[in-house]
Amino acid sequence: IDGNTWFTVGANGTFMRTTNGGVNWYFHHFAGRVGAALDVSQNYSVWFFNANTGIVAGDKGYIGRTINSGTSFDSVGLGLIPIGQRAQGIWFYDNNTGFVCAGSASGFGGTIVKTTNGGLNWIASYTTSTTAINTIWGTDAQTIYAVQSNGSYLKSTNAGTNWTESSV
């Protein structure tokens, strides 16, 4: 966010925040999908709009949203990303429109979901059973790229409505 306010995520549902350039850290260990045995999934990616509101993504198709600087997270988009996939890429064009991509550990299965209201609600944008989707990024509101585990990439030129696969 700035020279002092940083966020990061990691194993076992870890979310960390500093407001003094890394001198001290706030830890939250349940910022992932919590299982029946209170095991918590790993988080792979984080995106913050400001010092309060952000998105984390991780194992078991987890997408979490916070509006209080990571003190608590609400699961959003439940069921859109299969539980066997890890959500590992986040990209937002602005404070409302964004994407999360996911892929299965086996490499066979990938999903892209989209939000138009800052992560409150999500819709499926793309699914495949042939390859995992590892990362996502865009150049503007219409043009988005997603890299797949088989070395190819997906491209949308209409804000995620349609996707075209290309090889490198």
Side-chain angles (χ1 to χ4, degrees):
I1 300 297
D2 58 40
N4 289 311
T5 307
W6 312 337
F7 304 97
T8 190
V9 294
N12 302 316
T14 299
F15 167 84
M16 296 168 47
R17 171 187 76 232
T18 182
T19 56
N20 58 9
V23 174
N24 302 102
W25 289 89
Y26 165 80
F27 288 84
H28 185 300
H29 294 290
F30 285 91
R33 179 166 282 179
V34 180
L38 294 182
D39 58 319
V40 186
S41 62
Q42 177 154 332
N43 292 314
Y44 292 96
S45 193
V46 61
W47 187 284
F48 266 74
F49 307 106
N50 55 51
N52 296 312
T53 306
I55 305 288
V56 298
D59 276 338
K60 301 179 185 175
Y62 178 74
I63 304 172
R65 184 175 187 270
T66 183
I67 57 171
N68 56 16
S69 301
T71 302
S72 63
F73 287 85
D74 294 323
S75 292
V76 291
L78 288 175
L80 289 174
I81 299 174
I83 200 162
Q85 292 183 13
R86 65 177 61 134
Q88 53 194 17
I90 304 172
W91 178 74
F92 273 77
Y93 169 70
D94 57 25
N95 288 345
N96 292 309
T97 305
F99 297 84
V100 169
C101 70
S104 68
S106 69
F108 296 101
T111 305
I112 298 172
V113 295
K114 177 183 179 179
T115 183
T116 57
N117 61 4
L120 288 172
N121 304 102
W122 296 82
I123 59 168
S125 179
Y126 181 83
T127 59
T128 179
S129 61
T130 59
T131 187
I133 303 171
N134 297 326
T135 190
I136 192 160
W137 198 261
T139 57
D140 56 50
Q142 299 296 311
T143 309
I144 302 101
Y145 298 89
V147 179
Q148 299 184 105
S149 61
N150 65 1
S152 66
Y153 68 93
L154 300 167
K155 179 180 181 181
S156 176
T157 57
N158 56 9
T161 301
N162 303 101
W163 295 85
T164 303
E165 185 172 347
S166 299
S167 56
V168 180

